[in-house]
């Protein structure tokens, strides 16, 4: 397995585990949040999906976007199934882009996000994207614990 294949596998594995968490949440808890300053469950799921789309565009741009029009912003969250279905073309485009990179690109392409404090190699950025989603999956597991709900087994 080369580095690109490992990154693709990691992104797919993080998403598989995110889906285990997301799909375990009862619909009646989609608006739940642990406190008034926190994101709701559905807001966090949408944040993950929308962020991945933003990151994909930033990869193509090799840096932060001067302007970003979210395809999610004007769309009401209805059900988890519909949200995931809506995100599928964006996910496919992102994964196709990741799969299109050559091994050398991981260290030679620079992603300039100096507007938020960093410039990183493509390889670093791809790992950050997966980490971002994984962190939010962990937060949702904590939400489930706090709400007294059963947590799915993500360490299979």
């Amino acid at each position: 397995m080369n580095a690109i294949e490992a990154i693709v596998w990691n992104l797919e594995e993080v998403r598989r585990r995110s889906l285990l968490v997301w799909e375990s949440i009862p619909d009646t808890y989609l608006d739940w949040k642990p406190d008034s300053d926190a994101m709701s469950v559905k807001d966090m799921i949408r944040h993950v999906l929308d962020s991945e789309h933003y990151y994909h565009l930033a990869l193509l741009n090799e840096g932060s976007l001067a302007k970003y029009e979210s395809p999610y912003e004007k769309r009401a969250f209805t059900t988890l199934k519909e949200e995931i279905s809506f995100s599928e073309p964006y996910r496919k485009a992102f994964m196709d882009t990741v799969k299109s990179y050559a091994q050398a690109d991981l260290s030679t392409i620079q992603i300039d996000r100096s507007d938020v404090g960093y410039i990183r190699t493509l390889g670093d950025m791809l790992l950050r994207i997966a980490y971002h989603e994984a962190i939010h999956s962990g937060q949702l597991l904590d939400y489930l614990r706090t709400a007294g709900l059963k947590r799915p087994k993500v360490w299979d």
Side-chain angles (χ1 to χ4, degrees):
M1 177 183 301
N2 67 35
I4 297 289
E5 292 167 337
I7 290 169
V8 166
W9 179 85
N10 186 49
L11 287 162
E12 289 173 347
E13 187 64 11
V14 168
R15 179 56 53 89
R16 183 183 73 81
R17 291 171 192 244
S18 291
L19 288 169
L20 287 173
V21 174
W22 299 349
E23 291 169 350
S24 77
I25 300 168
D27 290 344
T28 55
Y29 278 82
L30 289 174
D31 288 313
W32 191 89
K33 53 186 177 177
D35 61 65
S36 62
D37 293 328
M39 281 190 270
S40 70
V41 168
K42 70 182 180 187
D43 289 341
M44 193 174 303
I45 293 168
R46 174 162 286 181
H47 168 73
V48 167
L49 297 172
D50 191 27
S51 294
E52 181 177 81
H53 178 58
Y54 176 88
Y55 289 142
H56 178 218
L57 298 177
L59 292 175
L60 295 173
N61 191 52
E62 295 187 7
S64 296
L65 306 176
K67 184 177 182 191
Y68 174 63
E69 292 186 31
S70 169
Y72 293 87
E73 193 170 306
K74 295 178 182 165
R75 189 175 181 281
F77 188 110
T78 54
T79 67
L80 176 62
K81 185 176 181 178
E82 287 181 20
E83 196 77 0
I84 292 168
S85 179
F86 178 78
S87 73
E88 284 175 1
Y90 301 110
R91 174 69 176 188
K92 182 180 181 330
F94 169 66
M95 294 302 292
D96 286 347
T97 296
V98 174
K99 292 173 186 175
S100 76
Y101 289 119
Q103 185 85 10
D105 294 338
L106 296 174
S107 58
T108 59
I109 293 175
Q110 297 287 310
I111 308 300
D112 185 348
R113 299 213 60 219
S114 53
D115 61 313
V116 293
Y118 61 89
I119 299 171
R120 296 287 189 260
T121 63
L122 172 64
D124 182 295
M125 190 67 201
L126 290 170
L127 293 174
R128 285 172 181 259
I129 292 168
Y131 182 69
H132 175 259
E133 182 170 334
I135 286 295
H136 286 303
S137 287
Q139 283 181 296
L140 286 173
L141 285 169
D142 186 54
Y143 276 29
L144 292 171
R145 178 186 296 273
T146 302
L149 298 171
K150 184 177 178 190
R151 293 173 311 283
K153 183 179 176 186
V154 295
W155 300 111
D156 51 5

